[in-house]
Amino acid sequence: MKVGLVYYGGQYNHLILKNLKYLGVEVEVVNINADLEYTKKFDCMIFSGGPYSVEQEINKMGNSPLFVKELSVPKLGICLGHQLLAYVLGGKVGKANNPEFGLARITIDDHDTILQGLKKEFNAWESHNDEVKEVPPGFFAIAHSENTKVEAMVNKDSSIFGVQFHPEVKHTEDGIEIFKNFLTVCKK
């Protein structure tokens, strides 16, 4: 199995790479301007966090919207990646009423595939000014926090996932389990 990891200059991106390598997965960092054809070699894709505002700076995200729309492999979006998936697939993203930085308490509403095995409530590391306001058609919100109604989402096929928080950061309880759950989907 080979995972493509799209980087956007976020401060925790290297930790995603570290976690995946720890789990024994072959992972390759994908440039945002990579050719769509090049990305078809991956079994699944992860879209990382970063400093952009999807609504106003989608043009700075290279071919990422194409990767989201055109690749028919499992996808996981983290923070900015979560917002990118929602936006490109028809959801709404905007400025958070209460941006979250630091620890937040996440409540799971549905232990779907990506959140399987996690506690009903757990602490997670947040770093965002924007948030998903409405999930795309065919998606469901499966976790929330006090300030953010879509902390995690999944499509009806359980093949595209987004999390607003950072599972790669050690402050997120059992974050490695989210990567394990995603990789299980990738193996199918």
Side-chain angles (χ1 to χ4, degrees), residues 5-188:
L5 173 58
V6 184
Y7 266 16
Y8 300 104
Q11 59 187 333
Y12 308 124
N13 290 342
H14 67 286
L15 297 176
I16 300 170
L17 190 65
K18 180 181 172 187
N19 277 286
L20 293 171
K21 287 187 175 184
Y22 169 78
L23 292 171
V25 176
E26 184 180 352
V27 59
E28 183 179 319
V29 174
V30 177
N31 185 291
I32 60 172
N33 295 312
D35 184 78
L36 179 63
E37 201 58 40
Y38 173 81
T39 62
K40 291 181 179 177
K41 68 180 183 177
F42 298 108
D43 299 301
C44 55
M45 297 288 287
I46 296 177
F47 299 87
S48 72
Y52 304 122
S53 176
V54 171
E55 261 194 321
Q56 291 142 15
E57 299 177 293
I58 193 85
N59 61 324
K60 293 182 179 179
M61 300 177 77
N63 289 330
S64 297
L66 279 177
F67 304 160
V68 171
K69 287 192 271 189
E70 301 295 329
L71 295 176
S72 58
V73 298
K75 299 173 190 81
L76 170 63
I78 298 172
C79 194
L80 174 67
H82 165 70
Q83 296 163 18
L84 172 71
L85 291 173
Y87 184 78
V88 170
L89 297 173
K92 289 193 168 62
V93 176
K95 291 286 177 209
N97 295 335
N98 295 298
E100 295 175 308
F101 296 93
L103 283 179
R105 193 81 177 150
I106 308 299
T107 301
I108 297 176
D109 302 308
D110 183 351
H111 276 82
D112 193 270
T113 312
I114 197 76
L115 301 177
Q116 188 174 336
L118 275 68
K119 295 177 280 189
K120 174 77 173 160
E121 292 189 341
F122 62 95
N123 290 321
W125 194 257
E126 301 274 5
S127 182
H128 67 97
N129 281 311
D130 292 352
E131 67 183 13
V132 175
K133 300 285 190 178
E134 289 180 27
V135 298
F139 278 73
F140 307 94
I142 55 173
H144 71 277
S145 67
E146 182 180 342
N147 296 315
T148 303
K149 71 178 187 175
V150 185
E151 283 288 354
M153 66 179 187
V154 61
N155 69 340
K156 64 183 176 186
D157 299 331
S158 294
S159 63
I160 303 175
F161 308 90
V163 293
Q164 182 59 69
F165 55 90
H166 289 273
E168 72 273 22
V169 175
K170 69 178 180 179
H171 303 299
T172 297
E173 295 178 70
D174 298 321
I176 195 78
E177 296 303 317
I178 291 171
F179 289 113
K180 286 180 183 176
N181 289 340
F182 178 64
L183 294 174
T184 298
V185 172
C186 293
K187 290 176 185 173
K188 290 181 180 177

